[in-house]
Each structure stands twice: as C-alpha cells, then as structure tokens.
Amino acid sequence: MRLGHTGLNVTDLDRSLAFYRDVLGFALLGEGKEDDRRFAFLGEAGGPPLLTLWQQARGAYDRTRAGLHHLALTADSVERVREYESALRAAGVEFAHDGVVAHREGAASGGIFFHDPDGTRLEISVPDGAQGAPAPHGTTPTCGFF
C-alpha cells in the first residue's frame, strides 16, 4: 500500500489555489463544481493528483481536533527548500521556525515549517543536507510540535 493523494478542506478555493499553484508550484490538473461546492485536483503536469482541495470548510484548521496533523512535502535538495522558503516569505507566509531547522538534534534531515491560508500545517524537508541546522525541540521531532 502507498499514499495516493491527500485531500484538504479549504474555506476559499481561489485563495488556496493561488497558494498551492502559484507559491508552491503545483500544477492544476482539473477543477469542478457541484451545486455550491467547488474542488480542484493538483499535482505534477501529466501526473496523477497528489493533492485535492475541497471548498467545504466553514472555519480555519484546528490543530486541537482529530484529523490531519500536518502535510509533509519532500524537496530534492536543501537549496530547493531555501528557494521555497524565499517564495513563501515573498508571499507573506509566517513560519513556525526561522529558516531551515533539523528534524531533531544531530539529524541530517530537516526543512521549513509553515501554514497554508487556512492554517493547515505544512513542512517541506529533505532527508539529508540539514546537518548543523538548529533543532527547535532537541530530540523530539520538530514536525510534531508546530
């Protein structure tokens, strides 16, 4: 078994599309509407959907409720993570930590941690290349507490 795609409920499809497509670089694979409910499929051009957005949420993400903890994306290099960081900062996104951080003390893996327009927690990381980056929570996984 492997993960097929991740579906996110959003409050404003246009705003979320602008974020995931224009800032993070997902390709719009398709979109539709049924009654007053809108949706969009995102991924790599010509590939299967990796992310689906469903305009049906009535409020922002609530980390105190059961469900999605965070969405973790993997980049090809730590340099690419820093490029995403620059694009996200230019878009006015707030970060949970300053710059690239390690997943835990002494780890080679790490990345950036931030929120989408509805407050959903996101991570863009690499399995190697973050050596020497600070670890915000010591030996506890950084992705667990932001």
Side-chain angles (χ1 to χ4, degrees), residues 44-62:
E44 294 182 13
L50 300 174
L51 184 65
T52 57
L53 304 176
W54 305 94
Q55 183 175 292
Q56 58 187 3
R58 290 191 174 93
Y61 174 82
D62 182 351

Side-chain angles (χ1 to χ4, degrees), residues 127-141:
D128 189 39
Q131 295 91 332
H137 303 291
T139 59
T140 305

Side-chain angles (χ1 to χ4, degrees), residues 98 100-104 130 132-136 142:
D98 189 29
V100 172
V101 295
H103 278 131
R104 64 181 176 281
T142 301

Side-chain angles (χ1 to χ4, degrees), residues 2-8 40-42 48-54 71:
R2 64 185 179 353
L3 186 63
H5 69 272
T6 300
L8 298 177
F41 301 111
L42 303 168
L50 300 174
L51 184 65
T52 57
L53 304 176
W54 305 94
L71 178 61

Side-chain angles (χ1 to χ4, degrees), residues 14-119:
D14 293 325
R15 180 179 70 169
S16 293
L17 271 175
F19 178 78
Y20 285 97
R21 182 190 59 219
D22 302 341
V23 180
L24 293 183
F26 282 92
L28 177 62
L29 303 178
E31 63 182 308
K33 181 178 180 177
E34 181 179 311
D35 299 322
D36 62 344
R37 297 179 298 189
R38 295 176 56 210
F39 58 92
F41 301 111
L42 303 168
E44 294 182 13
L50 300 174
L51 184 65
T52 57
L53 304 176
W54 305 94
Q55 183 175 292
Q56 58 187 3
R58 290 191 174 93
Y61 174 82
D62 182 351
R63 69 184 185 114
T64 64
R65 298 189 63 184
L68 180 74
H69 181 273
H70 73 285
L71 178 61
L73 306 167
T74 303
D76 294 333
S77 67
V78 72
E79 291 78 17
R80 186 70 181 115
V81 172
R82 289 189 176 102
E83 290 172 8
Y84 282 114
E85 178 188 4
S86 294
L88 289 160
R89 288 196 189 279
V93 171
E94 290 187 35
F95 288 77
H97 308 290
D98 189 29
V100 172
V101 295
H103 278 131
R104 64 181 176 281
E105 284 182 8
S109 63
I112 54 176
F113 300 83
F114 55 97
H115 300 85
D116 80 356
D118 283 307

